[in-house]
Amino acid sequence: MTLETLTLELLPPTWRVHAAFFKGVVNSEFLQEQLLGRNAEFEYAFIDASAIVSRQQVLSALFNVAVVAETGGLQTPNVHSEVVCSLSPGKNIAEAYRRWGITPGTTKDIIILKILTLEPKSECPTADDVWTHLRKHVDGRPVPLTDDEIDGSTDWAKVRKYYKLNGAPALEGIQDDAGRKKEAETLIITSMALRGL
Amino acid sequence: MSNSPAMTEFPPPQILTYPASSAPVLIAQGAEGRLYKTTYLLPDQPCALKYRPSKPYRHPILDARLTRARILAEARVLQRCRREGVPVPAVYATNEKAGWLMMEWVDGAPVRQRINEWLGARPDTEAAQVEAQSADQTPLISLMQRIGSAIGRLHRTGVVHGDLTTSNMILQRPKEHQHNGHTGEGAMEKGKALEGHVVLIDFGLATQSSSEEDRAVDLYVLERAFGSTHPRAEELFEQVLQSYKETFKQAPAVLRKLEDVRMRGRKRSMLG
């Protein structure tokens, strides 16, 4: 089983978050229809992995949602859509869905987060329930959510455009690839933290 | 955590009450805010959380607006600097409503402390001091040059710091020394005591400005702070300005302005 339960520093104690990563998904159109139809059974954050550079970036987005939820004021209908939006360095919600959410036909590799709040304890699905549901409806190959797996999905041209990394002096000065990638990730996380404010 | 006096007397922001692998530590308390050390996402990723608590004597709406404006101004300046390659901490998260800003933790010690340790290690007798004068000052000079170049890059980016002192610069521990800190003692350690990147911190008073006046005041404030905290190294300040000039094309005009500022002090207008 490759459903992971994430533990994050300073996450609200009532939150339980599961994460999964599917590659080569062929039914992204179906998944997007469920989101558009507000099907309550499909309350997930579906993230297009081609616009993601690392696991840390995903965790950052999740943390930012927890932060916004702390003081209230989600910009989108729920925490799951908020995760997709929090990956964006800007304020435009439709653009964020387009870039980091599912695009039918083009999205192949999907990172999935499920945020459960443990308030009504009886109704909270278990990790097994979540995994069974995902396996049934996501037609793709499950892989662990690691930097290596994400690396194979990243479309750097896209990432550089979305986060305005082209011509960033901070990156041009770095010689080694690993160092440049790490600094790009840092700049991305900083842009996400500011979200166009 | 709840019975530590710092925590109960001044309540931390709500986020710091959430579970983490280690309890938050109050590092510094200023007039405007408090700095906590905590962790970001993972137990082995330390971060700094700068918290501006609401002021009970201010009108709530004004208070919220000021806090928001200041948090965001600082975050924007840091973002701009980081993108331009100025050595500053990365921004991890912001919550302008709750009044905090979470940043990368820079591992190291303030330049002020490192310089004083270096100077303090010198012999005290007059004769020994004369000897020490001629001793190898290369590490200290190199540090001055790194400071000058960091400020040059900052000003080139269109940002003035507003409170440049050797306490607001961290000498970052070189990565390879971070885990095995106690290998070489004595001469080896002394030779490396001033190594590392100079990282500029505390942009709470920073502004985006390209005026020669503002830049000159930045240098002047550092010069004065430097003279009073490190009188024995005052003559080395010239090295800071020299390397500032080498890093920053518009430096000559700023240095001319600095002459004026020295004559009259930091304030141009008589206000404030």
Side-chain angles (χ1 to χ4, degrees), chain B residues 231-244:
Chain B
R232 289 161 69 186
E234 204 172 355
E235 76 276 8
L236 290 178
F237 192 76
E238 197 47 43
Q239 296 289 337
V240 173
L241 298 180
Q242 186 58 40
S243 115
Y244 176 77

Side-chain angles (χ1 to χ4, degrees), chain A residues 96-160:
Chain A
Y97 287 165
R98 225 170 24 243
R99 291 180 165 182
W100 287 274
I102 297 180
T103 310
T106 46
T107 304
K108 298 269 180 293
D109 303 343
I110 306 178
I111 295 168
I112 302 172
L113 296 187
K114 175 73 173 172
I115 301 171
L116 298 166
T117 45
L118 304 175
E119 311 291 16
K121 278 202 169 97
S122 50
E123 287 176 30
C124 197
T126 65
D128 282 341
D129 298 340
V130 172
W131 185 238
T132 309
H133 188 256
L134 284 175
R135 282 311 305 252
K136 190 171 162 201
H137 296 289
V138 181
D139 191 356
R141 178 171 55 90
V143 295
L145 183 61
T146 59
D147 281 346
D148 280 348
E149 290 290 354
I150 293 172
D151 215 33
S153 303
T154 310
D155 177 346
W156 275 97
K158 226 182 202 180
V159 167
R160 277 194 296 269

